[in-house]
Amino acid sequence: MTERPVQVQAPVFTVDGTLVHTLGRDCLRLEIREGLAGLRTLEAQFLAVGAGDDGPPARLRHLDGSTVDFGRSIKVAIGPDSGQRFAFDGSISALELEIGDGEPQRVAVLAEDALMRLRMTRRLRSWSEITDAELASNIAREHGLDADVQADGPRYDVVQQLNQSDLAFLRDRARLIQAELWCTGSTLHFRSRSTRQATAVTLSKGAQLLSARFTADLSAQRSEVVVSGYDATQRSVISERADKDVVEAEAIPGRSGAAIVTAALGTSVTARVREVPLTSEEASAWARAEMLRRGRAFVTATGVTNGTPDLVVGSRLTLRLVGEPFEGEGYYVTSVCHRFDLVKGLRTEFTAQRATLNEVA
């Protein structure tokens, strides 16, 4: 049996813990986005007028505070009854009214998850004798959030937050060690990719997978990454390296970008110079993270499905019937956008990465 190409089930909205049926009834368009950098966002558009409305014509639906208002919590579930899941949990941050020529008025609601609190707080401060995971825990507590942290990384003598928002600061710390930052409900997560728990999803061309594009790109691939600095306490130069073994240790079998670029173009070494390490432990962690960042992105898949509520950032993805070099498992979802409208129903757009190409006989 083939699946229906269009899922017509409207999203289900819960505001401040109460199911609001009128939001589902009036929803014209919905877009929920998330990526590796954290901060899931929602934009929903609702019909503001309709048959049977009471009161003067100037009184529009969803603008009187009875359904939505600033700061209210909003949760959205998507998908058919048999596979419905919550795709968004956050707070309303903006309201819009759109008045078109000859068209009914529309109200738009914009919301962000709990990382919005971190985005709106900017600081100048320092920490001593701390790890990146401990930093994430401290910042979570400052914003009244629970912390779920498990990230490998060095202990730093000093870390400074220089006129950055708490969100920008944590994103920078995550980038240094290739940790991932996200929020579910009132819990802030700061984890290494290998410890992130998410769904496993299989998509096949001609069934759930409507369209896709695959790219294997050598432009950012390197055979080796070098991080250098100076250890003042030891009075010695720091130089740490990471090579293809770091990438291939976590990837499925196949041809890695680092191996291919070396064979095709010769040895290619890059130096990470944006930050200067003060210990060998820092340099080693940063070199490994930079090699992983490049290697993980060697193969990129972008696609559209006929609505896949289970697809989230961090999902382990298997792709079928997509061509021998790109076939199979090992894809890691790095961005997702769930879209709903009255024409196409539910659609899910995604980006996924894989470190290797399959060997082709």
Side-chain angles (χ1 to χ4, degrees):
M1 178 182 294
T2 59
E3 297 186 15
R4 289 185 297 173
V6 176
Q7 296 183 8
V8 297
Q9 292 86 353
V12 178
F13 295 85
T14 303
V15 179
D16 283 348
T18 300
L19 187 65
V20 183
H21 296 285
T22 55
L23 290 177
R25 177 198 67 191
D26 295 339
C27 184
L28 301 174
R29 184 174 62 84
L30 173 73
E31 184 173 290
I32 298 172
R33 290 182 175 272
E34 63 171 322
L36 283 179
L39 190 64
R40 189 175 303 184
T41 62
L42 172 145
E43 181 177 350
Q45 192 177 75
F46 305 97
L47 189 66
V49 294
D53 285 344
D54 297 327
R59 183 172 181 177
L60 301 176
R61 297 176 184 172
H62 313 304
L63 283 180
D64 60 359
S66 62
T67 55
V68 293
D69 205 353
F70 295 105
R72 286 187 176 175
S73 67
I74 183 169
K75 296 178 70 174
V76 182
I78 59 173
D81 293 340
S82 59
Q84 195 173 80
R85 66 170 290 140
F86 282 106
F88 183 84
D89 184 358
S91 299
I92 296 171
S93 57
L95 298 173
E96 296 180 351
L97 172 63
E98 182 178 341
I99 301 175
D101 183 11
E103 297 179 351
Q105 295 96 322
R106 303 179 181 189
V107 170
V109 173
L110 287 79
E112 302 175 27
D113 69 18
L115 290 181
M116 175 173 60
R117 307 179 197 176
L118 280 65
R119 179 178 64 80
M120 301 177 71
T121 305
R122 185 178 293 270
R123 306 181 198 264
L124 177 63
R125 55 182 173 174
S126 299
W127 288 270
S128 59
E129 291 298 320
I130 199 165
T131 67
D132 291 310
E134 290 168 350
L135 281 169
S137 292
N138 291 343
I139 291 175
R141 285 194 296 269
E142 289 172 349
H143 291 275
L145 302 174
D146 297 325
D148 169 39
V149 299
Q150 189 175 342
D152 300 326
R155 180 170 295 277
Y156 304 97
D157 290 337
V158 177
V159 176
Q160 292 182 309
Q161 182 178 352
L162 300 175
N163 194 29
Q164 288 178 295
S165 71
D166 286 347
L167 179 58
F169 177 65
L170 278 187
R171 283 172 168 173
D172 272 354
R173 303 315 303 179
R175 174 184 56 81
L176 274 175
I177 59 172
Q178 281 300 286
E180 295 179 4
L181 172 68
W182 75 100
C183 201
T184 55
S186 60
T187 300
L188 182 149
H189 306 270
F190 187 93
R191 283 180 166 266
S192 300
R193 178 173 292 190
S194 60
T195 70
R196 184 168 186 170
Q197 301 297 314
T199 55
V201 178
T202 298
L203 302 174
S204 299
K205 187 188 76 171
Q208 309 93 340
L209 187 62
L210 302 180
S211 63
R213 178 175 180 174
F214 297 85
T215 303
D217 188 356
L218 291 179
S219 63
Q221 299 303 302
R222 300 293 183 269
S223 54
E224 194 173 46
V225 170
V226 179
V227 175
S228 301
Y230 185 76
D231 188 332
T233 60
Q234 300 296 322
R235 297 183 180 181
S236 61
V237 173
I238 298 169
S239 183
E240 297 291 340
R241 296 169 177 264
D243 59 18
K244 66 182 181 67
D245 291 343
V246 170
V247 178
E248 293 176 354
E250 70 168 25
I252 65 169
R255 304 166 64 206
S256 69
I260 294 175
V261 76
T262 302
L265 304 175
T267 301
S268 176
V269 180
T270 188
R272 183 170 185 167
V273 297
R274 182 171 174 178
E275 298 87 12
V276 179
L278 302 180
T279 66
S280 293
E281 184 185 11
E282 293 177 15
S284 178
W286 296 353
R288 180 180 183 278
E290 177 64 8
M291 195 68 193
L292 284 175
R293 183 187 71 82
R294 291 174 178 273
R296 287 169 171 171
F298 172 45
V299 178
T300 300
T302 58
V304 180
T305 79
N306 61 353
T308 311
D310 284 339
L311 203 61
V312 297
V313 171
S315 290
R316 270 62 178 184
L317 184 61
T318 300
L319 297 175
R320 299 298 186 196
L321 305 177
V322 296
E324 194 170 351
F326 304 102
E327 180 81 8
E329 61 185 5
Y331 288 95
Y332 188 89
V333 177
T334 57
S335 71
V336 170
C337 178
H338 298 292
R339 297 181 188 272
F340 170 85
D341 61 38
L342 300 181
V343 177
K344 294 184 177 180
L346 182 64
R347 291 286 186 269
T348 299
E349 301 171 4
F350 69 89
T351 302
Q353 296 177 343
R354 194 170 78 172
T356 57
L357 280 175
N358 296 334
E359 297 281 358
V360 179

